[in-house]
Amino acid sequence: MFVGIDDISFYSSGMYLSLSTLAQHNGENPQKYRLGLGQDRMAVPGPDEDIVTLAADAAWPLVNDENRHRISTVLFATESGIDYSKSAGIYMHRLLGLRDNCRVVELKQACYSATAAVQMACALVMRRPEDQVLVIASDIARYGLGTPGEATQGCGAIALTVKASPGLLAVDPVYGCHSEDVMDFWRPTYMDTAMVDGKYSTLVYLRALLASWKNYQDDGGASFTELARFCYHLPFTRMAEKAHRKLAGAEGERIDEHQLEEKIGPGLLYARQTGNSYSASLYIALISLLENDEEDLAGKRIGLFSYGSGCVGEFFSMVVQPGYQKRSRRSTHLALLENRRELDYEEYARLFLYASPIDGSAHEFPRSAAGRYRLAALEGHKRIYEQTSPGL
Ligand code: CAA
């Protein structure tokens, strides 16, 4: 029996800031962001959007009357938690009308936890092949106005279903992990923006990549040349270029610009527009690859590197299933990115600094979310979500 990803979708907010606008405001050359970081735009969440609304918008197309009763578990990966105790997945479970007989839990290890969720989901399905597991990764990347990390902000969520005999991707059982206690990027519980040692974080990312790759090889993984495409965690898309060159160099392979574009290019298109979405970003790269690669990828093996600061890395692989194109949501995803509203710098800064009460007083959020779900209000320290258009 093989298990893996049967369906996958992503959602990001309906507003964005062009990185040329940001460069102009910050007195930087726009080419630094466009070429140096490989980013064009960053998604900006509205006051009535959070990891729950982004996640529910990513997940609703995947849940229907045929599979709702089969979803036995929701694994919600995030590092933008809204509550120390209650899982964000519980709110989403209600918004999507999932069955009561369902386990829901939140997972955290920076940007890595979605991959832990995928591996755990595969193990659960191996044990009960009639079940499906809904995996969510949803995050809002915040560094602060005027910080070096600012140009690498963004937001987004992915949802995927894991099942036996999946329609999209079979996940290989081999993997290579690397864990190490380092302070490259972290967020103390009293802060709403990340702390980061930026240059160091890129070095640790590459170190974790090589260590994970070695462990993947030792576990019997596919060779560098056997992998048809590569998807990397994307804090900014240029990081994938650095990672792929590093891996090629370690394997004694020389790669030119054409090979680089072939192996990683189609996977970078969506993240150039959304910015970093932490735990979701690797899977947005995977969606971008499946929806935009012009070659038929059926039967091809894809290598993936998941990285979460602090740190855990994992190199693993998946095989694309025949007929995967029929499940593509390309037109929906392209429309989502195309139809966003552009912000000027002042509006972006106002949204960034928007603060809701933390004393329990009642608060209604202004309407700006473009999706089906929004955070309507706070009341007595409770978050009140609503559905803005019929999705169920
Ligand atoms: N034209 C073209 N390129 C230009 C340029 C120009 N005019 N000006 C500068 N550049 C290039 C630079 O040469 C550099 O390229 P190289 O990396 O190849 O040297 C690139 O643009 C970036 O320039 P700087 O290094 O000067 O940029 P910076 O100091 O402002 O910060 C950063 C870059 C460290 C990534 C910063 O944005 C940051 O701290 N980001 C957040 C942390 C992060 O994303 N880390 C990634 C690894 S950790 C991780 O992956 C987990 C996660 O999601 C956070």
Side-chain angles (χ1 to χ4, degrees), residues 28-29 31-33 35-37 79 111 143 148-152 184-185 196-199 201-202 205 233-236 238-239 242 276 278 307-309:
E28 295 279 8
N29 185 330
Q31 298 296 62
K32 172 176 168 178
Y33 295 159
L35 302 175
L37 295 178
E79 58 176 306
C111 310
Y143 291 93
E150 185 179 22
T152 64
D184 59 330
F185 166 105
V196 63
D197 189 342
K199 296 265 172 15
S201 70
T202 61
Y205 177 119
H233 166 57
L234 298 176
F236 48 93
R238 178 95 196 292
M239 192 69 220
K242 288 173 191 269
N276 196 355
Y278 291 162
Y307 177 72
S309 290

Side-chain angles (χ1 to χ4, degrees), residues 142-157:
R142 281 171 64 87
Y143 291 93
L145 303 178
T147 63
E150 185 179 22
T152 64
Q153 296 177 141
C155 70

Side-chain angles (χ1 to χ4, degrees), residues 158-178:
I158 63 97
L160 59 90
T161 47
V162 170
K163 73 182 270 290
S165 305
L168 280 181
L169 297 142
V171 178
D172 289 330
V174 289
Y175 68 92
C177 276
H178 172 76

Side-chain angles (χ1 to χ4, degrees), residues 20 54 87 109-110 119 131 149 158 189 192 201 203 208 211 222 277 349 357 361 386:
S20 318
L54 294 172
S87 162
Q109 175 30 55
Q119 296 289 18
D131 285 357
I158 63 97
T189 48
D192 72 352
S201 70
L203 297 178
S277 53
S361 54
E386 70 179 16

Side-chain angles (χ1 to χ4, degrees), residues 352-379:
F352 188 90
L353 297 171
Y354 184 93
S356 46
I358 55 169
D359 61 359
S361 54
H363 179 75
E364 284 195 10
F365 288 94
R367 272 178 193 275
S368 71
R372 281 178 170 70
Y373 303 95
R374 64 183 291 272
L375 175 62
L378 295 176
E379 216 176 280

